């Protein structure tokens, strides 16, 4: 059974840090680009970051460049999103996503094949 489970969300103050984790199971993780999307109340789903299957390439939304980093450990089937210098506008539900890409050639912040249930991140001002 294809499964993505996020953890690590919570309440943090302006300028603080959080590390989100995604545990993947039920599929060959190397064949999938993994992404993080977020949705704030009343707003559309937004692609935040992604990483190719081998970790050779990453992408970041302009709004998080220089503040967020993404990494993966395929042996442990985990993907992390390190979020630093958090802002109130980073408040959202964060989703771990997967997109089939066996060539590991690219990732995208525009769409995905699978999504986890999400974890809430709240940044207080």
């Amino acid at each position: 059974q294809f499964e993505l489970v996020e953890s690590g969300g919570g309440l943090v103050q302006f300028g603080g840090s959080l590390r989100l984790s995604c545990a993947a199971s039920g599929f060959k993780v190397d064949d999938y680009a993994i992404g993080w999307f977020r949705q704030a109340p009343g707003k559309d789903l937004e692609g935040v970051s992604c990483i190719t299957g081998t970790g050779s390439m990453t992408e970041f939304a302009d709004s998080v460049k220089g503040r967020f980093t993404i990494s993966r450990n395929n042996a442990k089937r985990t993907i992390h999103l390190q979020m630093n210098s958090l802002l109130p506008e980073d408040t959202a539900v964060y989703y771990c996503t997967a997109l089939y890409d066996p060539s590991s050639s690219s990732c995208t912040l525009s769409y995905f094949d699978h999504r986890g249930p999400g974890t809430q991140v709240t940044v207080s001002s």
Side-chain angles (χ1 to χ4, degrees):
Q1 178 180 348
F2 199 111
E3 192 171 32
L4 301 165
V5 179
E6 305 91 342
S7 61
L11 175 65
V12 64
Q13 289 188 333
F14 175 94
S17 297
L18 277 176
R19 188 190 194 209
L20 302 185
S21 297
C22 175
S25 61
F27 62 99
K28 190 173 185 295
V29 66
D30 310 52
D31 283 347
Y32 285 79
I34 302 297
W36 288 93
F37 283 65
R38 67 186 181 186
Q39 188 164 28
K43 295 190 176 181
D44 293 335
L45 197 62
E46 174 192 18
V48 174
S49 181
C50 63
I51 185 168
T52 53
T54 59
S56 59
M57 293 178 58
T58 60
E59 292 284 346
F60 295 92
D62 289 343
S63 58
V64 306
K65 279 181 181 176
R67 301 189 296 122
F68 290 13
T69 58
I70 189 170
S71 61
R72 65 190 293 163
N73 184 325
N74 287 347
K76 294 184 178 180
R77 307 179 67 83
T78 56
I79 303 88
H80 299 292
L81 183 70
Q82 178 67 43
M83 307 187 296
N84 299 325
S85 303
L86 283 163
L87 307 170
E89 48 264 45
D90 293 319
T91 295
V93 177
Y94 283 71
Y95 299 96
C96 178
T97 66
L99 178 67
Y100 186 61
D101 177 30
S103 65
S104 195
S105 59
S106 65
C107 66
T108 177
L109 300 181
S110 299
Y111 53 87
F112 50 84
D113 295 328
H114 305 272
R115 188 181 81 175
T119 185
Q120 176 70 47
V121 172
T122 303
V123 184
S124 62
S125 58

